[in-house]
């Protein structure tokens, strides 16, 4: 998430400079027209979300994949209904802004201001969506199981970071003769894992609280922390040509102190907090109290340069240990239905498929490099599942596949690299292609991996985990 990284703001892409200058010189955007643009954007997002998820559900594919594809259809790649300035687009490229000009009296002079304000509001709602998603995942997760899976999650996370980073960096240097700093940056982009996408799929297929699900979630959380540290390193390397060791030490210590301290402090404070909630009589007290905790933790995670979603996830874990966690889950769920699709559709809308067009000469080299990066991205994460040990049978392939999607985290790496100017056009396109393909192939592959496991259990006479998972889901509802 770009908003989380302070150094991103100091590197405004040159493609946005004229747009921002124009917006500054233009008339201030009308609040009414900005609201109108946001409302049209939300209508478009919700329609794309429901149509896409419904089609995928009928094809026995994860609904989240439909939300991503729905975003692609309405986004910069196809209909251009929902576009964002990060890709260099302006008001003239947005059909929603065009509609406002034709129906709401928006002037061409004020179009850029409304476009920027509307885009920012949708981006903020998208961030809130992923915060709610991780808060829900934390509520539904079992902290004890997550701690029990800690060592195995750490092995998966470290392997899933080291293998693709080394393979990607060395391969780019020695096979494609890419200079060292861009190669390191691209290799770093291979280390990310999108916890939001994987967690949503695991919840949809009722595997979130299985052993595999807990290992994947734990590893994805650690992956995010390691990814932030690596991003800080490569951003410093790209900006200054050297790494600030003090910044890296700060990030490592902050991450450890935040996660461990939050859990310990939460266990001490939550009984008093819940006691206060029980004494209050006004409607919505439990929901508002839970949201306050989630937002405070998300805020702390953001200001200490960790991800806000990690703070929200931690808050969910802590509140998930209280006696009212089931009730809180039911209260938060409708808000998730409203906000979470905005995140996934927005990720799809920002995905520019034009980088896949081989007819564009500048794309060809990028596609060749992208093919290499995609292979490394998939294999590097799948092998991480085979580092698992112990007597209890675990679906190692499913664990590895669950770590594949790069999603919004990979887009952050690409965005920072593009903004800093360290990545050549072909390599920037290759990273985007890698992010696109890993994001879209992971959900169906994860479902297939678990289906094969169920088939294997059935043929060997072992009981399947699915009935228990379904029963747990029904109890939750």
């Amino acid at each position: 998430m770009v908003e989380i990284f302070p150094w991103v703001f100091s590197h405004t892409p040159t493609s946005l400079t004229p747009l921002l200058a124009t917006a500054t010189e233009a008339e201030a955007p009308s609040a009414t027209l900005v609201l109108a643009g946001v409302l049209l954007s939300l209508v478009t997002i919700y329609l794309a979300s429901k149509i896409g998820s419904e089609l995928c559900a009928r094809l026995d594919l994860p609904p989240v994949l439909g939300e991503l594809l729905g975003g692609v259809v309405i986004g910069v790649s196809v209909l251009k209904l929902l576009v964002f300035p990060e890709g260099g687009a302006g008001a003239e490229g947005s059909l929603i802004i065009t509609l406002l000009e034709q129906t709401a009296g928006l002037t061409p002079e004020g179009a850029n201001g409304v476009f920027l304000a509307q885009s920012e509001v949708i981006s903020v709602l998208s961030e809130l969506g992923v915060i709610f998603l991780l808060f829900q995942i934390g509520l539904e997760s079992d902290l004890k199981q997550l701690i029990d899976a800690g060592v195995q999650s750490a092995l998966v996370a470290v392997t899933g970071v080291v293998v693709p980073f080394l393979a990607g960096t060395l391969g780019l240097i020695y096979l494609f003769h890419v200079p060292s700093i861009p190669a390191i940056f691209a290799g770093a982009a291979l280390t990310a894992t999108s916890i939001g996408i994987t967690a949503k799929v695991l919840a949809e297929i009722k595997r979130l609280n299985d052993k595999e699900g807990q290992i994947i979630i734990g590893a994805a959380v650690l992956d995010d922390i390691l990814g932030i540290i690596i991003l800080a390193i490569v951003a410093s390397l790209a900006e200054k040509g050297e790494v600030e060791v003090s910044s890296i030490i700060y990030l490592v210590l902050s991450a450890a102190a935040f996660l461990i301290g939050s859990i310990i402090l939460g266990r001490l404070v939550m009984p008093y907090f819940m006691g206060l909630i029980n004494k209050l009589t006004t409607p919505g007290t439990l929901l508002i109290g839970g949201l306050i905790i989630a937002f405070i933790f998300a805020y702390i995670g953001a200001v200490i340069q960790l991800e806000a979603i990690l703070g929200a996830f931690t808050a969910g874990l802590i509140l998930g240990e209280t006696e009212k966690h089931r009730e809180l889950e039911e209260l938060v769920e409708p808000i998730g239905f409203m906000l979470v699709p905005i995140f996934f559709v927005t990720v799809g809308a920002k995905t520019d498929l034009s980088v896949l067009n081989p007819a564009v000469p500048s794309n060809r080299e990028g596609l060749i490099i992208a093919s290499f990066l995609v292979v490394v991205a998939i294999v590097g994460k799948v092998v991480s599942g085979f580092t698992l040990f112990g007597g209890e049978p675990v679906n190692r392939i499913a664990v590895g596949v669950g770590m594949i999607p790069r999603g919004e985290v990979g887009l952050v790496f690409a965005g920072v690299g593009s903004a800093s100017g360290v990545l050549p056009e072909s390599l920037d396109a290759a990273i985007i292609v890698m992010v696109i393909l890993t994001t879209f192939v992971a959900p169906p592959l994860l479902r297939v991996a678990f289906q094969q496991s169920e088939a294997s259990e059935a043929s060997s006479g072992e009981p399947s985990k699915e009935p228990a998972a379904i029963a747990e889901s029904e109890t939750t509802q």
Side-chain angles (χ1 to χ4, degrees):
M1 274 60 71
V2 177
E3 291 84 356
I4 293 168
F5 301 100
W7 57 82
V8 176
F9 295 109
S10 63
H11 297 92
T12 302
T14 55
S15 60
L16 293 185
T17 304
L19 176 61
L20 294 175
T22 303
T24 303
E25 296 168 359
E27 63 186 56
S30 163
T32 301
L33 292 176
V34 171
L35 177 60
V38 170
L39 293 174
L40 283 177
S41 299
L42 290 176
V43 169
T44 305
I45 287 170
Y46 289 140
L47 285 174
S49 166
K50 293 312 296 180
I51 293 172
S53 59
E54 187 67 24
L55 288 174
C56 279
R58 291 176 183 273
L59 295 173
D60 200 29
L61 293 172
V64 65
L65 181 60
E67 294 178 353
L68 290 168
L69 292 174
V72 170
V73 172
I74 67 171
V76 66
S77 296
V78 185
L79 298 179
K80 294 181 171 58
L81 283 164
L82 188 69
V83 298
F84 295 87
E86 292 92 332
E92 69 281 356
S94 169
L95 289 183
I96 287 179
I97 296 298
T98 301
L99 183 60
L100 287 176
E101 289 178 335
Q102 295 175 351
T103 63
L106 176 63
T107 63
E109 292 77 17
N112 275 337
V114 171
F115 170 67
L116 289 173
Q118 166 226 322
S119 300
E120 184 63 24
V121 172
I122 296 299
S123 294
V124 170
L125 290 175
S126 172
E127 296 291 340
L128 283 175
V130 73
I131 286 173
F132 263 93
L133 173 61
L134 269 296
F135 181 51
Q136 287 180 279
I137 297 301
L139 282 172
E140 296 171 8
S141 298
D142 188 316
L143 179 58
K144 184 178 182 301
Q145 290 183 11
L146 206 57
I147 293 173
D148 290 342
V151 175
Q152 293 184 316
S153 294
L155 282 173
V156 172
V158 172
T159 304
V161 166
V162 172
V163 172
F165 176 72
L166 291 179
T169 301
L170 296 177
L172 289 172
I173 292 174
Y174 292 107
L175 295 179
F176 298 96
H177 309 292
V178 175
S180 298
I181 291 181
I184 291 173
F185 213 111
L190 294 169
T191 65
T193 294
S194 173
I195 183 174
I197 292 172
T198 296
K200 182 72 179 294
V201 176
L202 288 171
E204 287 172 351
I205 62 177
K206 310 297 189 298
R207 291 287 188 171
L208 187 61
N209 284 318
D210 285 359
K211 180 70 172 177
E212 293 87 351
Q214 293 300 296
I215 292 174
I216 292 171
I217 294 298
V221 169
L222 293 175
D223 244 20
D224 262 2
I225 297 171
L226 294 173
I228 294 167
I229 295 171
I230 291 171
L231 182 55
I233 294 172
V234 296
S236 175
L237 186 63
E239 181 181 352
K240 303 177 181 178
E242 61 181 6
V243 176
E244 294 184 355
V245 177
S246 59
S247 298
I248 307 309
I249 294 175
Y250 170 78
L251 284 172
V252 173
L253 294 179
S254 296
F258 177 68
L259 291 174
I260 298 173
S262 295
I263 292 173
I264 294 174
L265 182 64
R267 286 183 165 180
L268 294 175
V269 173
M270 276 305 109
Y272 299 100
F273 176 77
M274 296 310 299
L276 175 62
I277 293 295
N278 291 331
K279 291 179 181 179
L280 300 177
T281 58
T282 52
T285 300
L286 178 60
L287 175 61
I288 297 301
L291 295 183
I292 289 173
I293 296 295
F295 291 159
I296 288 175
F297 274 76
Y299 165 78
I300 295 172
V303 297
I304 64 174
Q305 296 184 21
L306 294 175
E307 292 205 40
I309 59 174
L310 293 181
F313 176 74
T314 304
L317 281 178
I318 295 169
L319 289 169
E321 289 198 298
T322 65
E323 71 275 8
K324 289 186 175 290
H325 72 280
R326 298 292 186 193
E327 184 180 347
L328 184 57
E329 285 178 35
E330 294 175 358
L331 293 171
V332 170
E333 188 176 38
I335 303 177
F337 288 149
M338 182 179 70
L339 290 177
V340 174
I342 300 175
F343 165 68
F344 288 108
V345 173
T346 299
V347 170
K350 291 180 178 180
T351 301
D352 187 0
L353 296 183
S354 65
V355 299
L356 296 172
N357 183 8
V360 179
S362 60
N363 288 350
R364 294 169 190 166
E365 182 183 1
L367 286 171
I368 295 173
I369 297 177
S371 300
F372 167 75
L373 292 182
V374 169
V375 172
V376 173
I378 293 175
V379 174
K381 293 294 186 181
V382 171
V383 299
S384 68
F386 290 89
T387 62
L388 296 172
F389 61 90
E392 184 179 351
V394 177
N395 189 334
R396 292 174 170 81
I397 293 179
V399 170
V401 169
M403 303 297 292
I404 288 176
R406 270 47 175 199
E408 76 289 350
V409 184
L411 292 175
V412 168
F413 275 85
V416 173
S418 176
S420 66
V422 71
L423 294 176
E425 187 176 347
S426 59
L427 189 55
D428 187 33
I431 294 175
I432 293 174
V433 171
M434 179 273 295
V435 171
I436 293 170
L437 293 182
T438 56
T439 298
F440 287 137
V441 304
L445 286 179
L446 187 59
R447 176 167 288 191
V448 169
F450 277 115
Q451 287 174 343
Q452 289 180 340
S453 174
E454 293 168 10
S456 176
E457 290 171 356
S459 62
S460 63
E462 296 179 7
S464 173
K465 299 177 183 178
E466 185 70 12
I470 294 174
E472 181 179 349
S473 174
E474 291 174 348
T475 302
T476 301
Q477 296 176 353

